[in-house]
Amino acid sequence: MSRFTRRITAALAVAALSGVTLAACGSSSSEGLLANIESGQVTLGTKYDQPGLGLRNPDDSMSGLDVDVAQYVVDHIAETNGWDSPEITWRETPSAQRETLIQNGEVDMITATYSINTARSETVNFGGPYLLTHQALLVQEENSDINAVEDLDGRILCSVTGSTPAQTVKDVLPGVQLQEYDTYSSCVEALRQGNIDAMTTDATILNGYAAQSPGQFRVVEMQKDDGSAFTDEYYGIGLAKDDQEGTDAINAALEEMLSSGAFDEFISANLGEGQGITESTPGDLSFMEE
């Protein structure tokens, strides 16, 4: 275990016991990520409602892969520069608000199942990617015979309202019946009750729900006819546009996280086997040109 991993483990244990600062509408300065880490106060954005990724617990502590990654990054940056680890204020960052919160300076950086793409990179900078995931299915562990995309034909498939992943499946299999809910947790409960046959979204999210309910669900990877993954989603860390110093520091921290084995530990602790999730290469954004 590296010194950075030990440092994060200790920090997370303290957070779990004493709680961390959570912000409903707090703000951050616009001086840049590194300046705010040096000042000892940093605001980090993540999800509050995704088990295994970003979850606000009943005691107000935060847990999940994206939480661990963010904590590791800011502590690595602080230690590399000889600064004390900053006090973290957590800010809930729903998907639709991420770019706005960064542009308004309300958060210093965001780790929130944040897929890097060309449109988003026009308004924010991205550190990473730190993982590559793909669209997958969540089914019941024992009562489902769904093992591939084609097994969904004629079945009921759930995702959130307006979901691109669900519509992508229906485009391939017109016989699929779509059931939409406002939240993933509603889909999970419907799957638990046997009211739907499967739900679909990124494998990261599905692994989180599977890990939360051991023995109840399993993740099914999805492949196209040519054997390739259904989709490629590269997760990164969003920060202010043109903050190159901050971006470089994030990438250096992510490189250390991946090479030290800390990332593997985070995956195991939060997402179990982490099916459909692989490491990526920080700083390599060539996939956006494909």
Side-chain angles (χ1 to χ4, degrees):
M1 182 180 292
S2 73
R3 58 177 179 170
F4 292 119
T5 304
R6 290 194 297 270
R7 187 185 184 95
I8 296 308
T9 301
L12 291 174
V14 170
L17 291 172
S18 61
V20 293
T21 305
L22 304 170
C25 56
S27 62
S28 178
S29 78
S30 58
E31 296 178 342
L33 175 63
L34 267 61
N36 288 328
I37 292 176
E38 182 180 14
S39 76
Q41 300 283 337
V42 66
T43 301
L44 307 181
T46 193
K47 299 290 181 67
Y48 276 18
D49 59 353
Q50 289 187 338
L53 291 161
L55 186 68
R56 179 176 177 175
N57 301 307
D59 64 356
D60 284 343
S61 64
M62 298 295 298
S63 63
L65 175 65
D66 281 339
V67 172
D68 288 353
V69 169
Q71 178 92 56
Y72 186 99
V73 166
V74 297
D75 279 358
H76 181 281
I77 291 173
E79 183 166 335
T80 298
N81 288 280
W83 306 326
D84 292 335
S85 293
E87 178 183 344
I88 295 174
T89 296
W90 294 102
R91 172 71 186 268
E92 184 175 19
T93 50
S95 296
Q97 299 177 22
R98 289 177 299 204
E99 287 82 53
T100 300
L101 291 170
I102 291 172
Q103 288 178 300
N104 290 346
E106 296 180 59
V107 293
D108 293 306
M109 70 180 207
I110 291 177
T111 53
T113 61
Y114 207 173
S115 296
I116 303 173
N117 61 39
T118 302
R120 291 169 179 164
S121 65
E122 291 177 356
T123 55
V124 301
N125 268 26
F126 278 105
Y130 55 91
L131 69 78
L132 169 63
T133 190
H134 315 282
Q135 184 179 344
L137 302 172
L138 189 70
V139 301
Q140 289 189 359
E141 174 70 48
E142 297 182 354
N143 299 324
S144 177
D145 59 357
I146 296 174
N147 297 297
V149 176
E150 53 266 26
D151 296 333
L152 287 171
D153 201 14
R155 307 292 186 91
I156 302 174
L157 177 67
C158 187
S159 195
V160 295
T161 302
S163 165
T164 299
Q167 186 58 51
T168 300
V169 174
K170 189 168 180 62
D171 290 343
V172 175
L173 295 172
V176 169
Q177 302 175 54
L178 296 185
Q179 172 65 61
E180 295 183 323
Y181 290 109
D182 290 338
T183 63
Y184 290 121
S185 58
S186 296
C187 282
V188 172
E189 188 56 32
L191 181 60
R192 194 190 314 274
Q193 298 298 326
N195 296 325
I196 61 171
D197 297 300
M199 67 174 287
T200 188
T201 187
D202 293 355
T204 45
I205 297 171
L206 300 180
N207 274 281
Y209 284 115
Q212 187 184 43
S213 303
Q216 292 190 33
F217 306 115
R218 59 185 170 88
V219 177
V220 176
E221 295 189 57
M222 300 170 63
Q223 294 182 333
K224 298 178 182 178
D225 291 339
D226 62 3
S228 63
F230 227 65
T231 62
D232 289 332
E233 303 293 340
Y234 292 85
Y235 284 9
I237 298 178
L239 70 161
K241 185 66 176 174
D242 298 328
D243 184 356
Q244 192 58 48
E245 186 179 23
T247 302
D248 292 342
I250 288 173
N251 284 336
L254 292 176
E255 289 171 2
E256 173 65 22
M257 180 187 74
L258 293 168
S259 65
S260 69
F263 184 67
D264 291 335
E265 294 177 13
F266 295 158
I267 289 286
S268 179
N270 293 293
L271 302 177
E273 296 180 1
Q275 191 170 351
I277 305 169
T278 56
E279 295 181 2
S280 196
T281 305
D284 181 3
L285 304 180
S286 60
F287 59 89
M288 289 199 295
E289 301 171 2
E290 298 176 358

